Every structure is written in structure tokens, then in C-alpha cells.
Amino acid sequence: MYDNKETLKKKFLLQRKNLSSYDVFIKSWFAQENLLNSFIFSKSKVIGVYYPVLNEIKTFRIIHKALLTKKRVGLPKVLDKEITFFSITTLNDLFDGK
């Protein structure tokens, strides 16, 4: 099973890396629209979201709207090989990490 998981992970990572910037923009736009217009987002008080790298779905609109609507926003950070979430209040709170 491990080999299959690793093979699939590599396959989908390669597909994501091969997307054009236009495709990433369009796919990101629709994914964010779906979330931002959802009942779950409107009722949530806390949002956990990642900061995108490479060709991952962009999350900037989600972060921006969550902060604008006074939701608590948490992003993951690796500390001592453990993933933990930290809160931000502005995009200026973000910094490079793993």
C-alpha cells in the first residue's frame, strides 16, 4: 500500500506542477468561491488554511475574507517535526517556514 500511496502522490504532484498559471488561477478561483459562498464558511468562527506553494490552490481570498469578517485564521507551522497551527490577524503576520 505504501508504494501505491507514494506512486499516486508523485503522479498528482507532477500533474499539479505541470498546470499552467492560468489553470491554477481558474481552479483556485472556483475552489475559493465554493468555500466562500458556503454555509460552513459563513457560520465558522475559526478557519484553518494553508499558504499555497508551487501550484497548490491559492487561498489568499479565503484568508482575506476570513480576516475581514473577523474570523480567527490559523495556518500550519512545523515545530520540532510537529505541525501546529498559529493564528494571524493580518497577512503581515506570515513568514517563511517549512
Side-chain angles (χ1 to χ4, degrees):
M1 176 121 184
Y2 180 75
D3 288 334
N4 286 338
K5 182 179 178 181
E6 285 302 312
T7 302
L8 286 173
K9 188 176 177 180
K10 288 178 184 178
K11 175 185 171 187
F12 290 121
L13 182 59
L14 182 62
Q15 284 179 355
R16 193 179 80 210
K17 284 182 179 180
N18 287 331
L19 288 173
S20 70
S21 56
Y22 177 77
D23 284 337
V24 173
F25 173 80
I26 294 297
K27 290 176 187 305
S28 295
W29 181 267
F30 284 108
Q32 290 179 95
E33 273 299 294
N34 286 336
L35 179 65
L36 293 172
N37 293 318
S38 72
F39 177 78
I40 293 171
F41 184 84
S42 67
K43 295 299 177 190
S44 296
K45 294 181 170 123
V46 178
I47 301 293
V49 66
Y50 62 86
Y51 189 88
V53 295
L54 300 173
N55 275 355
E56 290 178 334
I57 290 175
K58 306 307 178 206
T59 57
F60 307 116
R61 291 177 54 229
I62 296 167
I63 295 169
H64 179 72
K65 186 167 182 185
L67 291 173
L68 206 69
T69 56
K70 305 295 184 204
K71 296 181 187 303
R72 190 167 171 208
V73 178
L75 284 91
K77 179 180 178 181
V78 177
L79 293 171
D80 299 325
K81 297 183 182 180
E82 302 248 345
I83 296 176
T84 186
F85 278 78
F86 68 96
S87 292
I88 62 167
T89 55
T90 73
L91 291 175
N92 293 332
D93 293 340
L94 299 174
F95 54 91
D96 288 341
K98 288 185 180 182

